[in-house]
Amino acid sequence: MMAQESTRTSRTPRPARRPVLVFFAILGLIVAVAIVGGLLPRLSRQKGLLAASEQIAERKPVVLVSPAHYGATKDTIDLPADLVAMIESPIFARADGYLKSRLVDYGNHVKAGQLMAEIETPELDQQIGQASANLEQAQASLKELESDIDLARANLALARVTFDRWQHLQAKGAVSKQDLDTRQADLGVRQAELRKAESALATAQNTVNANAANLRRLNELKGFARITAPFDGVVTVRDVDVGYLINAGSKELFRVAQIDPLRVFVNVPQTYVSDITQGQTAELRVQERPGQVWTAKVTGISNSLDTNSRAMLVILETRNPGNALYPGMYGQVRFSTARAKPVLRISGDALLLGKTGARVAVAGADGIVHFRNVTIGQDLGSEVEITSGLEPGQMVISNPTDAITEGAAVEARKR
């Protein structure tokens, strides 16, 4: 009896395990469904990415191309330029003293001969007074010597008459030979006195001339106490003011510039030198004067190239009505040149320079890349002239990358 009860007791828990097992089975099924549901989309995405990457790998690289073309028969060359005054002169003092008055200032327009400043010259005035006194003294001495000349001539005339008389008397035997010799010696003395007086007079005349020349020099120097404009122009520098101590030639007082017309200095590169001729006209533009164009004419060519820049200095002149242009301005000069024969051109960014020389990449009609060795002419900046190696209309690839190789297939698009 007790054995049967124990057997029943051990069998009672079995029905309670089934719900637990069913629960875990269902849970496992759910987890499996979730894993399968998440894995399939991921596999699908990976498959799509793989297909896209294969499609990209098979796609041709896109390049920008432009045709090789002939340039115009007329070219324009734009070059930087410096504007310079036609004449610009520093003005120094020629006389020592103090600045008495200043009549012009920065930016004033002056005419030739116009008074700009005056210098007070007390020391020079004293020298002029001394020189004038010396001249008067020399002139007085000259008058005294002129009187001595008159006296010497009178004495000589008397001695000559006396000698003639004694000579006539001696011929008659009325006087002795000794007396005649005495009168002849007296005549010689009077002649020597006259020569001496004439020599003294010449010396005095030279002294008068020297004193007069010195006085003229000082008076001319006094004239430099008035500072005048050497030509029509504008005052660009003024470094002194009233009361300033002036030492002749030591300091620049003013600077005057002639700004109409103006000179234009342009350094023309070697490649364009043959296109510039004497008398040729060009257009001048200044950034600070938008919309305005001045006509400039070539008036000078240096006919020599600078060894550092390989450029030749060309000088032009332009009228400056209204003084709209100033010396020292920076401008742009445009030259127009005519060509007897047009030259082939390509975009400047299409040129490749390497050990083998200049090359370009050309995209054929079939989209296949071929490299061409070319000979370049003038570099025009945005464009380059090609003298050999290309034909008109060939599509040249701009900015070719390392992916662009000989025989590569590309998709060409025009710029």
Side-chain angles (χ1 to χ4, degrees):
M1 190 72 177
M2 293 179 67
Q4 293 178 350
E5 292 177 359
S6 62
T7 301
R8 293 175 182 171
T9 305
S10 61
R11 291 179 179 175
T12 52
R14 290 182 181 176
R17 293 180 179 176
R18 290 180 181 174
V20 176
L21 294 175
V22 172
F23 171 76
F24 281 109
I26 294 172
L27 182 60
L29 181 60
I30 293 172
V31 172
V33 171
I35 291 173
V36 173
L39 184 60
L40 289 177
R42 180 179 298 177
L43 292 175
S44 177
R45 286 196 301 272
Q46 289 181 350
K47 185 177 180 180
L49 291 174
L50 182 59
S53 63
E54 291 177 354
Q55 185 179 2
I56 291 174
E58 293 176 357
R59 185 182 301 172
K60 298 177 182 179
V62 177
V63 294
L64 297 177
V65 297
S66 57
H69 61 281
Y70 282 116
T73 55
K74 263 195 172 181
D75 282 340
T76 59
I77 307 170
D78 290 334
L79 296 172
D82 293 319
L83 276 62
V84 181
M86 179 60 66
I87 306 173
E88 187 168 11
S89 298
I91 299 176
F92 291 84
R94 291 284 304 276
D96 297 334
Y98 298 91
L99 196 67
K100 179 180 179 181
S101 62
R102 177 182 57 78
L103 306 177
V104 296
D105 207 343
Y106 291 99
N108 290 162
H109 290 265
V110 294
K111 296 291 184 179
Q114 178 179 336
L115 183 63
M116 302 174 66
E118 289 184 291
I119 301 175
E120 187 176 1
T121 58
E123 293 182 359
L124 182 59
D125 294 341
Q126 186 176 2
Q127 292 176 15
I128 291 175
Q130 181 68 39
S132 179
N134 291 339
L135 178 60
E136 291 177 359
Q137 184 178 3
Q139 289 173 341
S141 299
L142 182 64
K143 289 180 180 180
E144 292 180 2
L145 291 173
E146 288 174 349
S147 300
D148 293 341
I149 286 287
D150 294 338
L151 179 61
R153 286 173 179 170
N155 291 334
L156 176 62
L158 178 61
R160 182 175 288 113
V161 170
T162 301
F163 173 73
D164 290 342
R165 288 175 180 173
W166 282 81
Q167 190 177 26
H168 182 69
L169 292 173
Q170 198 273 336
K172 292 181 178 181
V175 294
S176 65
K177 181 71 169 58
Q178 179 66 34
D179 292 336
L180 180 62
D181 291 342
T182 301
R183 298 294 178 261
Q184 186 175 8
D186 185 59
L187 176 61
V189 170
R190 298 306 178 188
Q191 289 174 338
E193 288 178 348
L194 178 61
R195 288 194 297 271
K196 179 180 179 181
E198 290 175 343
S199 177
L201 180 65
T203 301
Q205 184 64 56
N206 290 335
T207 302
V208 170
N209 294 338
N211 287 328
N214 184 49
L215 181 60
R216 286 195 301 270
R217 179 185 67 84
L218 294 175
N219 284 327
E220 289 178 0
L221 196 60
K222 176 66 176 179
F224 291 118
R226 291 171 53 86
I227 309 298
T228 57
F231 49 81
D232 294 354
V234 60
V235 179
T236 59
V237 173
R238 189 270 296 167
D239 279 346
V240 293
D241 214 330
V242 175
Y244 196 93
L245 176 62
I246 305 296
N247 293 317
S250 64
K251 183 176 178 59
E252 179 180 345
L253 307 183
F254 303 94
R255 184 180 291 267
V256 178
Q258 187 183 88
I259 61 175
D260 185 19
L262 279 176
R263 290 193 295 177
V264 184
F265 284 17
V266 181
N267 289 309
V268 178
Q270 180 175 342
T271 53
Y272 303 126
V273 165
S274 59
D275 298 326
I276 308 303
T277 58
Q278 189 82 13
Q280 180 179 353
T281 59
E283 295 179 352
L284 171 65
R285 292 175 173 83
V286 176
Q287 184 177 2
E288 291 74 18
R289 302 288 186 266
Q292 298 186 44
V293 179
W294 289 264
T295 300
K297 184 178 181 180
V298 176
T299 58
I301 301 176
S302 65
N303 294 314
S304 176
L305 271 68
D306 182 78
T307 55
N308 295 321
S309 63
R310 301 299 175 188
M312 184 175 69
L313 178 64
V314 175
I315 303 173
L316 303 92
E317 288 185 14
T318 181
R319 299 298 303 179
N320 186 23
N323 299 328
L325 300 175
Y326 305 123
M329 269 186 164
Y330 177 84
Q332 288 283 335
V333 170
R334 173 170 294 177
F335 293 97
S336 295
T337 60
R339 288 184 175 273
K341 181 180 178 181
V343 181
L344 204 63
R345 294 182 180 180
I346 63 171
S347 176
D349 55 10
L351 194 64
L352 296 172
L353 298 176
K355 295 181 180 179
T356 59
R359 297 190 308 162
V360 294
V362 177
D366 54 358
I368 303 302
V369 176
H370 298 286
F371 284 87
R372 298 282 186 268
N373 292 322
V374 296
T375 304
I376 60 176
Q378 293 184 1
D379 186 352
L380 305 176
S382 61
E383 291 187 326
V384 179
E385 292 184 349
I386 303 298
T387 58
S388 65
L390 275 182
E391 296 295 332
Q394 287 185 315
M395 294 296 178
V396 182
I397 299 175
S398 299
N399 295 313
T401 63
D402 294 338
I404 308 303
T405 58
E406 179 69 27
V410 297
E411 180 183 347
R413 296 180 182 176
K414 289 188 177 181
R415 300 179 64 175

